[in-house]
Amino acid sequence: MDDVDRALIAQLQRDATQAYAVLGKAVGLSAAAAHDRVRKLRERGVIRHTTVDVDPAALGRGVLAFVMVDSSAWMGEASASFAAIPEIQEAHVIAGAAAVLVKVRTATTEQLQDVLRRLYAIEGVSGTQATIVLDTFFERPVSTD
Amino acid sequence: MDDVDRALIAQLQRDATQAYAVLGKAVGLSAAAAHDRVRKLRERGVIRHTTVDVDPAALGRGVLAFVMVDSSAWMGEASASFAAIPEIQEAHVIAGAAAVLVKVRTATTEQLQDVLRRLYAIEGVSGTQATIVLDTFFERPVSTD
DNA sequence: GCTGAAAGACTTCAATC
DNA sequence: GATTGAAGTCTTTCAGC
């Protein structure tokens, strides 16, 4: 994991459709060498997978909210219960109270309310505090700096 | 934007390196037809770009926190100030108080403290409340369901 | 809007330094 | 590890339906 690897990752985060010849030239490597480096980064799990970034609004998910989910019990094993709600994009166990922070995307605020209802149905959930996002400044890949 | 488009997007979110022949077969289309559909989804901005998903820990960003940034003034134009801090992965203007919610990834909690210091240096910022993530249940693409 | 085929470009591997 | 060159595969385009 040296500076060349980091430069390759930064390039791929920007555009993973680049040909290895172009990618190599950008970091000062031949196509085959760039290919070999990227292959190893994938093998080692540094690069998990290649995906597409989709406009949430185009998929009918224009409303973004963060919801703090309070619970009366340890939620460390409740991952599947949250994953079963497709509107939930992320779920994190947080420090402090026994709580989970989730990132939710819905089409409307009515649907957000419905997600809250489904959250309450999860065993142990005792409360929710939703925070609606008015504007997203940016969402970007993990920095390689 | 029909069910076939949604199926194509779901496939690409899972693995954007698939050949169009494979992609087409998965949704019941020829390679050329799948290619044409995906090209149009890109043109229309539904698919914004193709990227790689990187393990944050491998990049020395193993600590995740969400920070609520309170301010004494309207923060609607402060995007660049947040973007200048590479440890900040996301920044959202939220409803309620004049506040911004940011997602931060650092190597250590000491570095998180340093990010808080840099946040305070932004014009108008009056306070921060950091919430450290103990465990991430999941982070996934926007659902096509 | 889809199919099938052809041309060109890219990935991928082996040999070599 | 990196490079060069060759082989195989995939992307991309276009005429036809």
Side-chain angles (χ1 to χ4, degrees):
Chain A
M1 193 63 193
D2 57 9
D3 287 345
V4 176
D5 285 334
R6 262 183 286 273
L8 284 170
I9 290 170
Q11 283 290 326
L12 288 174
Q13 283 176 331
R14 202 165 302 135
D15 179 11
T17 67
Q18 288 172 89
Y20 283 112
V22 177
L23 190 61
K25 182 167 271 181
V27 303
L29 245 49
S30 72
H35 177 260
D36 198 50
R37 289 255 194 175
V38 173
R39 184 182 56 73
K40 282 172 187 162
L41 285 169
R42 287 188 207 276
E43 271 176 14
R44 283 160 43 203
V46 175
I47 295 176
R48 290 158 166 167
H49 65 295
T50 304
T51 185
V52 291
D53 174 31
V54 178
D55 178 11
L59 287 177
R61 291 269 146 76
V63 175
L64 172 61
F66 286 88
V67 183
M68 192 78 93
V69 182
D70 296 310
S71 70
S72 54
W74 169 237
M75 292 262 92
E77 306 292 323
S79 180
S81 304
F82 291 96
I85 302 176
E87 290 89 344
I88 299 182
Q89 200 185 345
E90 303 179 15
H92 309 272
V93 178
I94 60 179
V100 176
L101 179 60
V102 302
K103 183 175 177 180
V104 179
R105 289 191 191 273
T106 58
T108 63
T109 49
E110 280 76 32
Q111 282 185 24
L112 174 58
Q113 205 169 8
D114 190 57
V115 170
L116 297 183
R117 188 182 57 68
R118 277 177 274 161
L119 282 170
Y120 271 109
I122 295 175
E123 179 89 22
V125 169
S126 59
T128 63
Q129 295 159 253
T131 302
I132 297 211
V133 169
L134 301 176
D135 183 30
T136 291
F137 279 154
F138 59 83
E139 291 180 294
R140 60 188 181 190
V142 179
S143 169
T144 54
D145 292 352
Chain B
M1 193 63 194
D2 57 11
D3 287 345
V4 176
D5 285 334
R6 262 183 286 273
L8 284 169
I9 289 170
Q11 282 291 326
L12 288 173
Q13 283 176 331
R14 201 164 303 134
D15 178 11
T17 66
Q18 287 172 91
Y20 283 111
V22 177
L23 191 60
K25 181 167 273 181
V27 303
L29 244 50
S30 70
H35 177 260
D36 198 50
R37 289 253 192 177
V38 173
R39 186 181 56 72
K40 282 172 187 161
L41 285 170
R42 286 187 207 276
E43 271 176 14
R44 284 160 43 204
V46 175
I47 295 176
R48 289 157 166 168
H49 64 296
T50 303
T51 187
V52 291
D53 175 31
V54 178
D55 177 12
L59 286 177
R61 291 271 145 75
V63 175
L64 171 60
F66 286 89
V67 182
M68 192 78 93
V69 181
D70 296 310
S71 70
S72 53
W74 169 236
M75 291 263 92
E77 306 292 323
S79 180
S81 303
F82 290 95
I85 302 176
E87 289 88 345
I88 298 183
Q89 201 186 345
E90 304 179 14
H92 309 272
V93 179
I94 59 178
V100 176
L101 179 62
V102 302
K103 183 176 177 179
V104 179
R105 288 191 191 272
T106 59
T108 63
T109 50
E110 280 77 32
Q111 282 184 25
L112 174 59
Q113 204 170 9
D114 191 58
V115 170
L116 298 183
R117 189 183 56 68
R118 278 177 274 160
L119 281 169
Y120 272 107
I122 295 175
E123 180 89 21
V125 169
S126 59
T128 63
Q129 296 159 251
T131 302
I132 297 211
V133 170
L134 301 177
D135 182 31
T136 291
F137 278 156
F138 58 85
E139 291 181 295
R140 60 188 181 190
V142 179
S143 169
T144 54
D145 293 351

